[in-house]
Amino acid sequence: MRAALLYAADDIRVEDVADPRIQNPTDAIVRIVLACVCGSDLWPYKSLPLTDQPRHMGHEFLGVVEEIGAEVHGLQRGDVVVAPFVYSDNTCVYCREGLQTSCVHGGSWGVNGVDGGQGQAARVPQADGTLVKLPVGEDSELLPDLLTLSDILCTGYHAARTAGVGRGDSVTVVGDGAVGLAAVISAGLLGAEQIILMGRHSQRTDLGREFGATDVVAERGDEGVARVQELTGGEGTRKVLECVGLRDALVQSFGVVRAGGTISRVGAPQFTDVPFGFGEFLRNITLTGGVAPARAYIEELMPHILDGSINPGRVFDRELGLENIADGYRAMNDREALKVLIRP
Amino acid sequence: MRAALLYAADDIRVEDVADPRIQNPTDAIVRIVLACVCGSDLWPYKSLPLTDQPRHMGHEFLGVVEEIGAEVHGLQRGDVVVAPFVYSDNTCVYCREGLQTSCVHGGSWGVNGVDGGQGQAARVPQADGTLVKLPVGEDSELLPDLLTLSDILCTGYHAARTAGVGRGDSVTVVGDGAVGLAAVISAGLLGAEQIILMGRHSQRTDLGREFGATDVVAERGDEGVARVQELTGGEGTRKVLECVGLRDALVQSFGVVRAGGTISRVGAPQFTDVPFGFGEFLRNITLTGGVAPARAYIEELMPHILDGSINPGRVFDRELGLENIADGYRAMNDREALKVLIRP
């Protein structure tokens, strides 16, 4: 089959790789119908040193079950399914608590002999725990929306949930990427009254307004902080959803959070030390979030997509075949495209 | 009156200062019956550069109301009262949310013309909001226990509450100082099942066991982390209460917290950057806590003292007159004494 492989920064290739096959009785093989490129794929795309053991890319996909192992009981051939961005057994002590990202039998796509999501097919470990059936056909127009359940919608929702966003709440979303926009949707679903979106790409923030942002702040740094303070009577918002992963975004988050408030970060942090000292201590700021256990939220969020009340698939503003995926990486890296949909 | 003044590191003196008098109609004057020395007093005691504007020390006291301003309605002369370690109006938007440390009319003892707590008397701003009546006489044997409501008991409780300690929980308390021991009491009050106390002063950890610690870990650093992992089936505890304020203690906290767990820190941080990077992000660790709004917890905790079910005053292992307070600072700094009670 064909799959996307990253050899070095700026060097992604689509090549023939071994067809996936059942290796463990808990595996399934999924033919991939839709995949996409993630903001987090861009970190290695920007920085990976040259290697002769290329990285299998992609961790967001949906498709059709083609084959199941002997111990897979909840799925059958022909099921249309979505995969969260890590696999998990969904039965271990962590999974039962909704922390499937810490599953004792879980792991990541594209490493340790597991396929990536940017290919024609994938072996799915722990298939019963990992895959969620979609009640639509593989030709459904809702597929792009449903694909966001694999990562960005659940990641934005994780930010809002771990921050404890509730009815009437005030929320700042830092970052107008796909996850930031999903966080806007999520804050709305949880009843937030004021949703301030910080971002400077007007096409994206316009979409953010359609998704429910009540205010947009295009300024950054101290200026951006001052603007949010203006919008909140000098207090800041009770909740801040940090959807970037850069240190500056986190610094900005500390600047806009109200005393006693919570910052949830879901942007994969590109730094090791957090500027979280005596000042924040005096203001009783909480820092929460982390990698989203997408699997925990799929059933909860899917109905909002099926009934059309949210349309997170609108973040996909470009569609390419797998063979042209390199152009998709480039376009996202150059901020020409917000999020690229891939049809293998 | 006499009061303790810090002129420089290791140079604390008791001197004559102006008697307190009502300055604002919301003030009260309290004759101090009991005060004490705080672990946080030791930071400037270790480090203050020489100054000719000495710092008025102390922020924990209880005493008797001697005089009230014209707008003080909830108190009268002769009331025995305890003061939390910051003053607050207890009516502003933050106070109503239980965040009196962010009170818009609040402030700290010992600065901006407000007396410190280590003296014979104090002017108490926002007296109605700040002071809490104690239903005992000034000769009560419970006074040392009740004095802990001014800071350490409420601080330990803030750690446990913000961490979300609940029935059946597993908790590690990092630090065997007075606040750490109060955190042990607090975790017990909230129903924790396993309370691991990390500390290496056996007299203190013995008291910690009497306060409810189920395990004591004397090792530090990697060894200490390994020991807690052993005690928790390799998972760590769901909650960690960091009661020291040093970077090493926080690093240790990250080492012993379970995936998906929460660290609450109430030790005033002596560092600005927190080592909270990608590994902790992948494990969905939350960092919460901050300076404790003691005022929020006094009424809730007082009954446990009055009915004798907790005895936090046992942390006082030395008692001195005000004139000898320098010896108390020295003894605490040398770790000869755990916490020093002062009778002005």
Short mmCIF file of all heavy atoms in Angstrom, two decimals, chain B residues 166-171 187 191-195 212 214:
data_model
loop_
_atom_site.label_atom_id
_atom_site.label_comp_id
_atom_site.label_asym_id
_atom_site.label_seq_id
_atom_site.Cartn_x
_atom_site.Cartn_y
_atom_site.Cartn_z
N GLY B 166 -10.67 13.57 47.98
CA GLY B 166 -11.99 13.07 48.34
C GLY B 166 -11.91 11.71 49.00
O GLY B 166 -10.81 11.16 49.20
N ARG B 167 -13.06 11.19 49.32
CA ARG B 167 -13.13 9.92 50.05
C ARG B 167 -12.42 8.80 49.28
O ARG B 167 -12.59 8.65 48.08
CB ARG B 167 -14.61 9.56 50.27
CG ARG B 167 -14.86 8.51 51.33
CD ARG B 167 -16.15 8.74 52.09
NE ARG B 167 -16.16 10.04 52.76
CZ ARG B 167 -15.53 10.29 53.93
NH1 ARG B 167 -14.84 9.36 54.55
NH2 ARG B 167 -15.60 11.50 54.45
N GLY B 168 -11.56 8.07 49.99
CA GLY B 168 -10.87 6.93 49.38
C GLY B 168 -9.65 7.30 48.57
O GLY B 168 -9.00 6.44 47.98
N ASP B 169 -9.31 8.57 48.56
CA ASP B 169 -8.24 9.07 47.70
C ASP B 169 -6.86 8.63 48.19
O ASP B 169 -6.68 8.25 49.35
CB ASP B 169 -8.28 10.61 47.71
CG ASP B 169 -8.16 11.19 46.31
OD1 ASP B 169 -7.58 10.53 45.45
OD2 ASP B 169 -8.69 12.29 46.10
N SER B 170 -5.90 8.69 47.27
CA SER B 170 -4.49 8.49 47.64
C SER B 170 -3.77 9.84 47.52
O SER B 170 -3.94 10.55 46.53
CB SER B 170 -3.85 7.45 46.74
OG SER B 170 -3.91 7.82 45.38
N VAL B 171 -3.01 10.16 48.55
CA VAL B 171 -2.41 11.49 48.66
C VAL B 171 -0.97 11.37 49.11
O VAL B 171 -0.67 10.60 50.03
CB VAL B 171 -3.19 12.35 49.70
CG1 VAL B 171 -2.55 13.72 49.86
CG2 VAL B 171 -4.66 12.47 49.33
N ALA B 187 -6.10 16.20 54.58
CA ALA B 187 -6.40 15.07 53.69
C ALA B 187 -7.26 14.06 54.44
O ALA B 187 -8.20 13.48 53.88
CB ALA B 187 -5.11 14.44 53.20
N GLY B 191 -11.26 12.62 53.83
CA GLY B 191 -11.57 11.21 53.57
C GLY B 191 -10.51 10.43 52.83
O GLY B 191 -10.77 9.31 52.39
N ALA B 192 -9.31 10.98 52.69
CA ALA B 192 -8.25 10.22 52.00
C ALA B 192 -7.99 8.91 52.72
O ALA B 192 -8.04 8.83 53.94
CB ALA B 192 -6.97 11.05 51.92
N GLU B 193 -7.69 7.88 51.93
CA GLU B 193 -7.46 6.56 52.49
C GLU B 193 -5.96 6.33 52.72
O GLU B 193 -5.55 5.81 53.74
CB GLU B 193 -7.98 5.52 51.50
CG GLU B 193 -8.14 4.13 52.07
CD GLU B 193 -8.94 3.28 51.08
OE1 GLU B 193 -10.19 3.35 51.10
OE2 GLU B 193 -8.31 2.58 50.28
N GLN B 194 -5.18 6.73 51.72
CA GLN B 194 -3.72 6.55 51.83
C GLN B 194 -3.10 7.95 51.88
O GLN B 194 -3.34 8.76 50.97
CB GLN B 194 -3.19 5.79 50.62
CG GLN B 194 -1.68 5.53 50.68
CD GLN B 194 -1.19 4.69 49.51
OE1 GLN B 194 -1.68 4.80 48.39
NE2 GLN B 194 -0.21 3.84 49.79
N ILE B 195 -2.35 8.22 52.93
CA ILE B 195 -1.69 9.52 53.06
C ILE B 195 -0.21 9.25 53.30
O ILE B 195 0.19 8.82 54.39
CB ILE B 195 -2.27 10.35 54.22
CG1 ILE B 195 -3.80 10.54 54.05
CG2 ILE B 195 -1.57 11.70 54.31
CD1 ILE B 195 -4.48 11.22 55.24
N GLY B 212 -2.46 11.24 61.06
CA GLY B 212 -3.21 10.45 60.09
C GLY B 212 -2.42 9.94 58.90
O GLY B 212 -2.99 9.27 58.03
N THR B 214 -0.55 7.50 56.70
CA THR B 214 -0.54 6.03 56.72
C THR B 214 0.86 5.50 56.41
O THR B 214 1.18 4.37 56.75
CB THR B 214 -1.52 5.48 55.67
OG1 THR B 214 -1.21 6.04 54.38
CG2 THR B 214 -2.96 5.83 56.03
#
